[in-house]
């Protein structure tokens, strides 16, 4: 009897032990699956972090490229403004110089006036012109030629100064341009007065006295 009970107990223990081992063995895959899922999630998170880092790098690169483009645009704009300022200053100085030349006279006007005077002298020496025509050919032609040349330079000075003053400029540029404009207008008035003989009429030859001579004795 005792032997039989001991044998049954051993049989029960042996049966119980494999069952527990089976349970433990069955629990192992569940733990492995959880760990695999955790690792997969960690990998997904790592990929997400890598993608976020790459996106941040791309944004930083875009910002740097945008900053470089802005700096280039600023440099180009500054260069353009500097060039425009230099051109405006040069134009103002040129307008003032031409305006002054139109008032005081130019080498070209003097040369053309001498040429007109020479042609008038040649015409007079031919002996075919009357006294009034001789004066006009020798004196009037050179006077009027000089007036026309000075008037041309005066109009040119006004045009250049007007172009410079069409846009906002530096203070000194506007001042010089206004000076050139004033000199140009003054040169136009002087040239017009010279050409129209407003400052002095054309010289005339006095007429010979008429009447009989002394009576004969």
């Amino acid at each position: 009897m005792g032997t039989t009970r001991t044998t049954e107990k051993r049989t029960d223990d042996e049966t119980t032990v494999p069952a527990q081992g089976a349970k433990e063995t069955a629990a192992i895959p569940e733990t492995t699956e959880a760990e695999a899922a955790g690792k997969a999630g960690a990998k997904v998170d790592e990929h997400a972090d890598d993608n976020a880092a790459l996106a941040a790098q791309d944004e930083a690169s875009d910002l740097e490229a945008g900053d470089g483009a802005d700096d280039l645009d600023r440099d180009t704009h500054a260069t353009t403004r500097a060039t425009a300022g230099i051109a405006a200053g040069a134009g103002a100085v040129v307008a003032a110089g031409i305006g002054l030349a139109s008032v005081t006279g130019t080498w070209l006007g003097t040369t053309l006036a001498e040429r007109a005077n020479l042609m008038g002298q040649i015409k007079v020496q031919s002996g075919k012109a009357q006294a009034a025509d001789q004066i006009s050919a020798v004196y009037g032609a050179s006077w009027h030629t000089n007036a026309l040349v000075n008037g041309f330079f005066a109009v040119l000075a006004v045009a250049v100064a007007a172009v410079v003053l069409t846009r906002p400029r530096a203070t000194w540029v506007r001042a010089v341009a206004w000076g050139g404009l004033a000199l140009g207008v003054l040169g136009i008035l002087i040239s017009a007065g010279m050409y129209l003989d407003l400052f002095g009429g054309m010289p005339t030859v006095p007429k010979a006295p008429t009447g009989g001579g002394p009576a004969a004795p």
Side-chain angles (χ1 to χ4, degrees):
M1 298 285 295
T3 303
T4 305
R5 290 179 181 176
T6 303
T7 304
E8 291 177 356
K9 288 181 179 180
R10 289 178 179 176
T11 304
D12 294 336
D13 292 337
E14 291 175 358
T15 306
T16 304
V17 171
Q20 292 177 354
K23 290 180 180 181
E24 292 178 356
T25 304
I28 291 173
E30 293 179 358
T31 305
T32 305
E33 291 179 358
E35 291 178 355
K39 291 181 179 179
K43 290 182 179 180
V44 172
D45 294 336
E46 290 178 358
H47 287 299
D49 294 337
D50 293 339
N51 293 332
L54 292 175
Q57 291 179 358
D58 293 338
E59 291 179 358
S61 300
D62 293 338
L63 290 175
E64 291 178 357
D67 293 338
D70 293 339
D71 293 338
L72 182 60
D73 292 339
R74 290 174 183 174
D75 294 339
T76 303
H77 185 63
T79 303
T80 303
R81 290 183 61 183
T83 303
I86 293 172
V93 173
V94 169
I98 296 175
L100 182 62
S102 68
V103 174
T104 59
T106 61
W107 172 84
L108 180 62
T110 302
T111 302
L112 293 179
E114 291 177 353
R115 180 178 181 275
N117 189 4
L118 180 61
M119 293 179 65
Q121 291 178 3
I122 293 173
K123 185 177 180 180
V124 169
Q125 289 178 0
S126 63
K128 297 180 180 179
Q130 297 180 359
D133 295 335
Q134 292 177 1
I135 294 174
S136 177
V138 175
Y139 175 77
S142 61
W143 180 263
H144 293 160
T145 300
N146 198 2
L148 287 176
V149 174
N150 292 341
F152 170 77
F153 279 97
V155 172
L156 183 60
V158 171
V160 174
V163 171
V164 174
L165 293 173
T166 53
R167 294 184 180 180
R169 306 293 185 185
T171 303
W172 72 270
V173 174
R174 295 182 64 84
V176 175
W178 276 112
L181 182 63
L183 289 173
V185 172
L186 182 61
I188 291 174
L189 295 176
I190 294 175
S191 300
M194 290 174 61
Y195 190 80
L196 298 176
D197 298 329
L198 297 179
F199 302 122
M202 192 70 62
T204 57
V205 178
K207 296 180 179 180
T210 57

